[in-house]
Amino acid sequence: MEKDLTEFVMSLVVDSVAKNFERFPALNGVSLTVPQGAFLALVGPSGSGKTTLLRILGGLEFPDSGTVRFADINWLEVPARQRRAGFVFQQYALFKHMTVEKNIAFGLTVRPRHERPAKKEIHRRVEELLALVQLEGLGKRYPNQLSGGQRQRVALARALAIEPRMLLLDEPFGALDAKVRKELRVWLRALHEKMGITTVFVTHDQEEAFALADLVAIMNKGRIEQYGTPADVRRSPKTPFVAEFLETGPQRNGLLPPHAVGSHPA
Amino acid sequence: MKRRYPTQDHPLLRLLLTVIAVSVIGLFLLLPLATVFSQALSKGVVAALEALKEPDARSAIWLTLLVAAIAVPLNAVFGVAASWAIAKFDFRGKQFLTTLIDLPFSISPVVSGLIYVLIFGLQGWFGESLRDANIKIIFALPGIVLATVFVTFPFVARELIPLMVDQGRDEEEAATSLGASGWQTFLRVTLPNIKWGLLYGVLLCNARAMGEFGAVSVVSGHIRGLTNTMPLHVEVLYNDYQYVGAFAIASVLALLAIVTLVLKSLLEWHFADEIAATHRH
């Protein structure tokens, strides 16, 4: 009994979350539970609601109904700035007028005076993070002097600087070319193994999702079609949509010759 | 044979376009400017300086600077607040607010001035209660400031709205998720991103605030040495056939505008790298 409780203390529980935008429903009652330290991928076509769900987790959007609990607290009552949810955006969203160092240090320097680390300590942490994302020596550069892959690693370092309780990544590699994507994917997974932070990753690329995640949630039209480990989902797709999504995915990425697709098991 | 670059036009056409551009600028911009200065100096530098030392002239210069010093900071704050609201938030009536901001541009300045007379003038809505409270708005400094604020309101906002819409909300959202408060986000992320647009808007706003004639003319009452701003004083002197005085004041106005432009160019030149860095990549 005790053991079960501790196991659940830090997990993320999303229960029947719904959200309507002016013209269309974005989320139609989504529920899922994520164990502490897991790597979850939300995958689906555009408009499936995956980004909306991610933004709700980050406090940048609020659901019309439903609950979200994290670490056994009502997550929706915590304002975004107090959640310590490290958010990484598709377009990096780096502060263009600040150097890489200042970008990474931002989350520490905005803390109230009594919680703020000393300047030396902040500097040490920034150096540590620069090393972690393999950008040593680039601290004095401005974001527009970096490549896309480097910028996204700065964004990640910036999110990690606040010692996030969860890491939220919104198509972080979407703006990068295929080769850099693959490299960063491997690197991100290794980083996750090292840090063990509960991570939610949004992508429309099922290959990316399946290569990275411990758990995948396949979303369509504001619902989760199937949720499970990549192996389970691949072995037994529950709905025609999932089966089709799994099949068309690799073809779109050019991994299967055209004749391999054609008839749908649906 | 020398080949033209594909997008380069025929040499004759280029020459024609250049001549047109240069003559339009010369005829409509440089020539009038030169006339202003030459008329001011037509009876020598001493006469022009004497005209500026005249008490009424000095009071006009002082009043103009004072009005600009009040109206421009107010509009900078209003403009930033309005464009922040429009660019970073969604709310009902947003489109309406955007249209409203443009209103002073589409209304004749004379009408803008009359509005204040109708509201605060003796025969206006608040006329009697203001008189009873012994508050003077029309034919006094407050009226001139109000009219100037109204006419110059759009400059800062118009400069900032497209810029802030283009920059999007990503950086603000990132700052919030990193733990910054609304105020910290504004000071450390939004403001640095818009500072060049803001500066440009403020300079334009200032130029117009000092040069405004129509609206101020209606509310000022043309009391010499008291409620005459520089543009109004230019007109008064001109109608009195005091050409040297009129053009001397006009020269000061023109000089203020030129200084503004030079200042802006200097800043742009000095901070070119930083300006490039804050543009969206």
Side-chain angles (χ1 to χ4, degrees), chain A residues 81-152:
Chain A
R81 58 177 291 227
Q82 281 162 23
R83 287 191 190 186
R84 277 209 279 130
F87 209 107
V88 176
F89 298 79
Q90 181 173 6
Q91 297 297 337
Y92 326 120
L94 293 176
F95 307 127
K96 296 185 276 289
H97 60 286
M98 294 183 201
T99 59
V100 167
E101 280 176 351
K102 294 237 169 80
N103 263 283
I104 296 175
F106 185 87
L108 300 173
T109 55
V110 294
R111 285 188 187 169
R113 198 170 297 266
H114 59 278
E115 287 174 34
R116 197 185 309 156
K119 264 204 173 134
K120 255 194 176 156
E121 169 65 10
I122 292 181
H123 183 74
R124 195 189 59 77
R125 293 265 282 279
V126 169
E127 290 298 319
E128 214 174 80
L129 284 159
L130 277 172
L132 183 72
V133 298
Q134 298 162 357
L135 292 173
E136 293 107 323
L138 298 184
K140 302 280 183 226
R141 298 250 188 117
Y142 282 92
N144 66 348
Q145 297 168 317
L146 300 178
S147 73
Q150 289 173 328
R151 285 180 202 175
Q152 201 52 294

Side-chain angles (χ1 to χ4, degrees), chain A residues 55 58 60 80-82 84-87 89-98 103 106-112 116 142-144 151 158-159 162, chain B residues 90 166-167 169-182 184-185 187-193 195 273-281:
Chain A
R55 289 172 61 84
L60 302 174
R81 58 177 291 227
Q82 281 162 23
R84 277 209 279 130
F87 209 107
F89 298 79
Q90 181 173 6
Q91 297 297 337
Y92 326 120
L94 293 176
F95 307 127
K96 296 185 276 289
H97 60 286
M98 294 183 201
N103 263 283
F106 185 87
L108 300 173
T109 55
V110 294
R111 285 188 187 169
R116 197 185 309 156
Y142 282 92
N144 66 348
R151 285 180 202 175
R158 183 178 67 175
I162 60 169
Chain B
D90 290 314
D166 178 54
Q167 285 174 345
R169 303 172 202 183
D170 279 11
E171 289 187 38
E172 279 80 9
E173 286 180 347
T176 306
S177 79
L178 291 168
S181 66
Q184 282 174 322
T185 303
L187 282 185
R188 302 181 56 166
V189 176
T190 310
L191 201 57
N193 272 333
K195 66 180 172 198
D273 288 349
E274 210 185 313
I275 294 171
T278 51
H279 277 191
R280 207 168 168 76
H281 37 252

Side-chain angles (χ1 to χ4, degrees), chain B residues 96-108:
Chain B
F96 182 64
L97 182 63
T98 316
T99 316
L100 220 55
I101 288 173
D102 276 344
L103 199 67
F105 271 171
S106 46
I107 290 185
S108 157

Side-chain angles (χ1 to χ4, degrees), chain A:
Chain A
M1 197 65 188
E2 288 277 353
K3 194 168 169 281
D4 279 357
L5 263 176
T6 46
E7 246 178 33
F8 263 88
V9 157
M10 281 297 279
S11 69
L12 170 66
V13 184
V14 176
D15 189 17
S16 6
V17 162
K19 165 93 185 165
N20 287 296
F21 285 122
E22 256 174 56
R23 268 163 262 151
F24 58 95
L27 290 173
N28 269 324
V30 166
S31 304
L32 49 78
T33 307
V34 189
Q36 152 70 3
F39 196 124
L40 163 72
L42 301 173
V43 54
S46 48
S48 58
K50 52 195 194 307
T51 295
T52 307
L53 181 56
L54 192 78
R55 289 172 61 84
I56 286 173
L57 295 179
L60 302 174
E61 210 90 67
F62 289 92
D64 300 331
S65 60
T67 58
V68 178
R69 296 188 73 78
F70 180 69
D72 222 27
I73 45 176
N74 183 350
W75 198 232
L76 296 177
E77 274 184 3
V78 185
R81 58 177 291 227
Q82 281 162 23
R83 287 191 190 186
R84 277 209 279 130
F87 209 107
V88 176
F89 298 79
Q90 181 173 6
Q91 297 297 337
Y92 326 120
L94 293 176
F95 307 127
K96 296 185 276 289
H97 60 286
M98 294 183 201
T99 59
V100 167
E101 280 176 351
K102 294 237 169 80
N103 263 283
I104 296 175
F106 185 87
L108 300 173
T109 55
V110 294
R111 285 188 187 169
R113 198 170 297 266
H114 59 278
E115 287 174 34
R116 197 185 309 156
K119 264 204 173 134
K120 255 194 176 156
E121 169 65 10
I122 292 181
H123 183 74
R124 195 189 59 77
R125 293 265 282 279
V126 169
E127 290 298 319
E128 214 174 80
L129 284 159
L130 277 172
L132 183 72
V133 298
Q134 298 162 357
L135 292 173
E136 293 107 323
L138 298 184
K140 302 280 183 226
R141 298 250 188 117
Y142 282 92
N144 66 348
Q145 297 168 317
L146 300 178
S147 73
Q150 289 173 328
R151 285 180 202 175
Q152 201 52 294
R153 278 183 281 157
V154 174
L156 205 62
R158 183 178 67 175
L160 290 171
I162 60 169
E163 295 172 314
R165 292 194 273 191
M166 62 166 75
L167 205 50
L168 305 170
L169 306 130
D170 187 7
E171 303 235 15
F173 309 146
L176 305 173
D177 64 64
K179 185 168 167 284
V180 180
R181 268 178 104 105
K182 286 227 171 90
E183 283 167 16
L184 278 185
R185 186 195 291 176
V186 175
W187 175 82
L188 178 66
R189 182 66 218 193
L191 189 76
H192 178 257
E193 307 271 317
K194 197 150 97 186
M195 319 269 300
I197 306 168
T198 308
T199 303
V200 184
F201 183 96
V202 159
T203 179
H204 63 265
D205 180 348
Q206 64 103 340
E207 191 211 331
E208 189 167 83
F210 279 67
L212 262 172
D214 305 318
L215 291 163
V216 288
I218 304 204
M219 296 188 67
N220 180 37
K221 292 181 181 155
R223 290 180 191 285
I224 293 181
E225 295 267 340
Q226 189 167 2
Y227 177 46
T229 64
D232 282 347
V233 173
R234 193 169 278 151
R235 202 178 312 121
S236 47
K238 266 193 198 155
T239 66
F241 175 84
V242 175
E244 196 177 324
F245 191 76
L246 292 184
E247 193 168 277
T248 53
Q251 187 260 341
R252 203 178 46 212
N253 295 313
L255 293 181
L256 283 184
H259 64 260
V261 203
S263 63
H264 301 294

